[in-house]
Amino acid sequence: MESLTAKFTTAFRSERLIYRAIDMQDIPLVARMLWDPVNQGFGDPTLYTPLSGTVGSVMVQKGLEASLLAVLICLPNPQAQQDVAPGLPGNSLRAAQESAIPIGSLMLGKPTAPQTDHWRWTRMGLGVAEEHQGNGYGKEAVNWALDWAFEFAGMHRVELTTASYNDRAIAMYKSLGFKEEGRKRETIYMDRRWWDMVEFGILEGEWEALRGKKSGQSGGQRIFQGGF
């Protein structure tokens, strides 16, 4: 029981970041972070047109409704009075979450149909505000989300998709253990060129090998790397 207590008190934080639920009042903030011109271009390969705050908020709301997990990626607030070191009692951790500074969002989607629930898979979506990119926060958050998906949600695979022009994201996913599983060749048109849609996935057994776990084993050390 003691090991579970320790796990629960650190479940929603990683080396430098804190994660909290996305509330209704956070939706406009998430929309602004995800649909600035740069994040929109790299994260959404559909027709590149300006998005209004209303449309962006509606898209975030739909994402929340279809999510197994939806969190704000946050930095601890240096002005907060609480000690935010790992291992705090639950109430102190909640206070740290509430004072944390949002810098991005991460969602894991629900399976699309009840008939495939037993497949135990989820699709990941990630966005980090442009001014906070280049510090390894996206990579740390994805690594944390993999731990959550396999340790708490019982997933067997986590998958994601990106455009082939998103070189930084592709390098990050590969460095975290994702495998390229396929390409839809020349299916995206952007900047007078045709690009591929690239599918990535990581299986529970591959994650276990990275974490040095045996099948079904809980606990273990998380791996944090810099980069994206």
Side-chain angles (χ1 to χ4, degrees), residues 96-175:
Q97 289 175 319
E98 291 173 351
S99 67
I101 303 167
I103 63 168
S105 63
L106 186 147
M107 297 185 188
L108 293 174
K110 297 175 184 176
T112 54
Q115 292 86 350
T116 60
D117 283 351
H118 62 292
W119 293 357
R120 294 193 290 137
W121 64 275
T122 184
R123 181 173 287 265
M124 183 181 296
L126 168 76
V128 175
E130 185 180 5
E131 64 269 24
H132 293 285
Q133 294 178 11
N135 297 303
Y137 296 139
K139 193 170 191 177
E140 184 174 328
V142 171
N143 218 25
W144 169 83
L146 290 177
D147 287 353
W148 184 89
F150 292 122
E151 291 182 341
F152 289 101
M155 293 293 105
H156 181 65
R157 63 174 278 117
V158 178
E159 63 185 41
L160 51 85
T161 304
T162 191
S164 60
Y165 57 74
N166 198 348
D167 295 332
R168 291 174 64 192
I170 289 173
M172 177 182 74
Y173 299 143
K174 288 181 176 179
S175 72

Side-chain angles (χ1 to χ4, degrees), residues 124 146 150 156-160 173 176-179 181 200-208 210-211:
M124 183 181 296
L146 290 177
F150 292 122
H156 181 65
R157 63 174 278 117
V158 178
E159 63 185 41
L160 51 85
Y173 299 143
L176 288 173
F178 283 86
K179 308 296 185 185
E181 297 182 331
F200 287 96
I202 182 170
L203 302 178
E204 183 180 10
E206 294 166 340
W207 169 82
E208 289 172 342
L210 287 171
R211 299 298 194 266

Side-chain angles (χ1 to χ4, degrees), residues 23 35 39 57 69 72 82 89 93 110 115 146-147 151 166-167 189 196 218:
D23 294 324
W35 281 285
N39 276 346
S57 294
L69 174 76
L72 284 175
Q82 298 88 3
L93 181 58
K110 297 175 184 176
Q115 292 86 350
L146 290 177
D147 287 353
E151 291 182 341
N166 198 348
D167 295 332
Y189 186 77
D196 299 343
S218 63

